[in-house]
Amino acid sequence: MSSDANIAGQAPSEADALADPHWFSEGFDSQRGEFLLVAADRPLLAAQTFLDGRWERSGSPRLRAGSAIDRPSATSNPARIIWHTGFCCSTLLARMLDRPSRNLSLCEPQVLVDIAAARRTGAVSRDAASSAAQHALVLLSRPFSPGEHVTIKPSPAANALLQLITVPAGQRMLFLYSDCRSFLISIYKMGEEGRKYIRRLFLALLADGHIQARWPTVKLLMMSDLELAAVLWHMQIAEFLRVWPALEPGSAASLDCDAFLGSPEDASVRLNKLFSLGIGAEYLRDVIAGPLFHRNSKTGEAEFDVTRRAVEHQRIEQEIGGDLDRIVAQSYQLCRDTPRTVPLPNPLLPIEKSYCPGT
């Protein structure tokens, strides 16, 4: 039964749907232990900035698949994964790597967030969450054409899955981050929405075993939005550092957002090699020279590039004033396990910069 026939006509069997990348895993129902599948083709998936609730897919055919969680599964070509802190040009990086027949980039699929949330709330056991996460990654790894790779960029809310998954041989990962100062500037720029985002994510991550969960509640309530955002940045770095020793040597690299923006062509060549995507260097150069790098990757706003980003950052630095350095320095005092220089091992690109004021 062909994929097109399945979508246009009679619904396929569960086994056929699970084998067919045209049935995308859009979510996870923890109460019923079922994956939620929606009909979607490759161009539609690649075009989405976020594969979560902001993705308009009303009216699309849907299926549920429950038995996948009860049996082991594997893939000979596991997805490449870009874990990230948020506000670090992760969407731009993922889209840069998308090329039909070579690599499909999937940005922040909701299914991974659903599984992480189910584990945090206790809706599923650790073993069930681990199994669901493994199956979700297999479902997301299904290629649309022979030889095509898949690169997944999970949401920061799904970073806790790093504790649950077993990394198969051959899987490659990038850990992308902004520095704490830039992270705070991005949050400030978002206004009220940024403040809401930070508090929601902070509350979620408290259930992931971070030391901040043992801080007195009154201490947390007395922190400003930016002070809390700074601690949240450290919590995400701590999550990455916690799992790094278990990764196969050479299978993972880190990348500072500023290093990427400072030398996108060099970063693309090195990441293409790390992920073994086989995307031509000339193609990547054309992408970097094209419209993708001259608009806001999240909003689609035109006339937005590295220069404008730097100007906006300088404007916000002036608005915040001396509090910015104070908050960053204070966060390093509170989170003493974070390295005061380059925070993560094996940088994809070298960079010299100050991460903590006064060091």
Side-chain angles (χ1 to χ4, degrees):
M1 186 183 300
S2 71
S3 301
D4 292 339
N6 289 345
I7 294 173
Q10 185 178 2
S13 67
E14 181 179 316
D16 285 341
L18 292 173
D20 186 348
H22 289 85
W23 289 97
F24 178 73
S25 180
E26 65 169 338
F28 179 70
D29 184 338
S30 60
Q31 291 186 334
R32 297 172 59 173
E34 294 178 336
F35 288 99
L36 311 177
L37 309 179
V38 63
D41 60 17
R42 190 198 187 285
L44 180 61
L45 295 173
Q48 304 310 310
T49 304
F50 302 105
L51 289 162
D52 57 14
R54 290 164 284 189
W55 171 26
E56 174 52 48
R57 53 203 184 277
S58 58
S60 299
R62 284 178 164 79
L63 291 173
R64 286 176 172 266
S67 62
I69 196 172
D70 298 323
R71 62 176 182 269
S73 55
T75 176
S76 59
N77 188 19
R80 285 67 174 150
I81 306 181
I82 301 172
W83 305 98
H84 65 102
T85 59
F87 310 106
C88 53
C89 298
S90 59
T91 303
L92 176 64
L93 184 74
R95 288 190 159 182
M96 177 188 72
L97 297 175
D98 188 272
R99 183 178 185 181
S101 80
R102 297 308 310 163
N103 178 67
L104 167 63
S105 290
L106 301 174
C107 293
E108 309 204 4
Q110 182 65 36
V111 62
L112 299 178
V113 176
D114 288 348
I115 296 168
R119 176 60 194 135
R120 290 182 179 119
T121 61
V124 296
S125 67
R126 179 183 176 86
D127 287 346
S130 176
S131 177
Q134 297 287 160
H135 283 84
L137 290 175
V138 170
L139 291 174
L140 294 171
S141 299
R142 297 169 296 174
F144 279 84
S145 60
E148 185 176 45
H149 304 290
V150 176
T151 296
I152 304 169
K153 179 181 79 86
S155 163
N159 287 344
L161 297 183
L162 276 161
Q163 302 177 44
L164 301 177
I165 62 174
T166 300
V167 180
Q171 186 160 63
R172 297 292 182 263
M173 297 181 178
L174 179 73
F175 293 79
L176 180 66
Y177 62 93
S178 64
D179 59 78
C180 185
R181 182 187 179 93
S182 298
F183 187 80
L184 298 186
I185 290 172
S186 296
I187 295 299
Y188 185 91
K189 179 182 173 182
M190 289 178 66
E192 185 66 17
E193 284 304 310
R195 292 189 284 271
K196 289 180 181 178
Y197 170 82
I198 284 301
R199 292 194 174 273
R200 286 195 300 264
L201 186 57
F202 183 86
L203 289 174
L205 266 57
L206 283 180
D208 295 340
H210 294 284
I211 192 172
Q212 287 76 17
R214 299 196 294 272
W215 288 0
T217 302
V218 65
K219 179 177 182 178
L220 298 176
L221 290 175
M222 291 178 66
M223 298 181 78
S224 72
D225 295 316
L226 286 184
E227 288 172 340
L228 205 62
V231 172
L232 175 64
W233 180 85
H234 286 272
M235 292 166 71
Q236 295 189 88
I237 296 298
E239 187 70 73
F240 296 158
L241 289 172
R242 175 160 50 182
V243 301
W244 200 286
L247 301 178
E248 180 183 340
S251 68
S254 65
L255 180 60
D256 185 302
C257 171
D258 287 340
F260 167 52
L261 293 177
S263 187
E265 185 173 332
D266 196 6
S268 71
V269 170
R270 296 189 186 203
L271 187 54
N272 185 31
K273 182 178 180 180
L274 174 68
F275 282 0
S276 301
L277 299 178
I279 301 174
E282 183 176 353
Y283 178 88
L284 290 169
R285 283 195 295 270
D286 289 343
V287 171
I288 293 168
L292 181 66
F293 276 70
H294 293 86
R295 64 172 183 260
N296 190 303
S297 59
K298 288 185 173 63
T299 66
E301 176 188 0
E303 305 304 324
F304 188 89
D305 55 17
V306 174
T307 301
R308 180 171 165 184
R309 180 178 184 270
V311 170
E312 289 191 355
H313 274 219
Q314 290 174 357
R315 174 181 60 80
I316 293 172
E317 284 179 341
Q318 293 175 355
E319 285 187 23
I320 302 175
D323 278 343
L324 186 57
D325 281 341
R326 176 190 63 78
I327 292 170
V328 174
Q330 173 187 284
S331 72
Y332 273 87
Q333 289 295 322
L334 292 172
C335 306
R336 295 180 179 274
D337 290 336
T338 307
R340 291 175 174 254
T341 54
V342 178
L344 296 174
N346 196 23
L348 191 71
L349 286 177
I351 186 170
E352 293 185 9
K353 62 188 290 188
S354 172
Y355 287 89
C356 176
T359 59

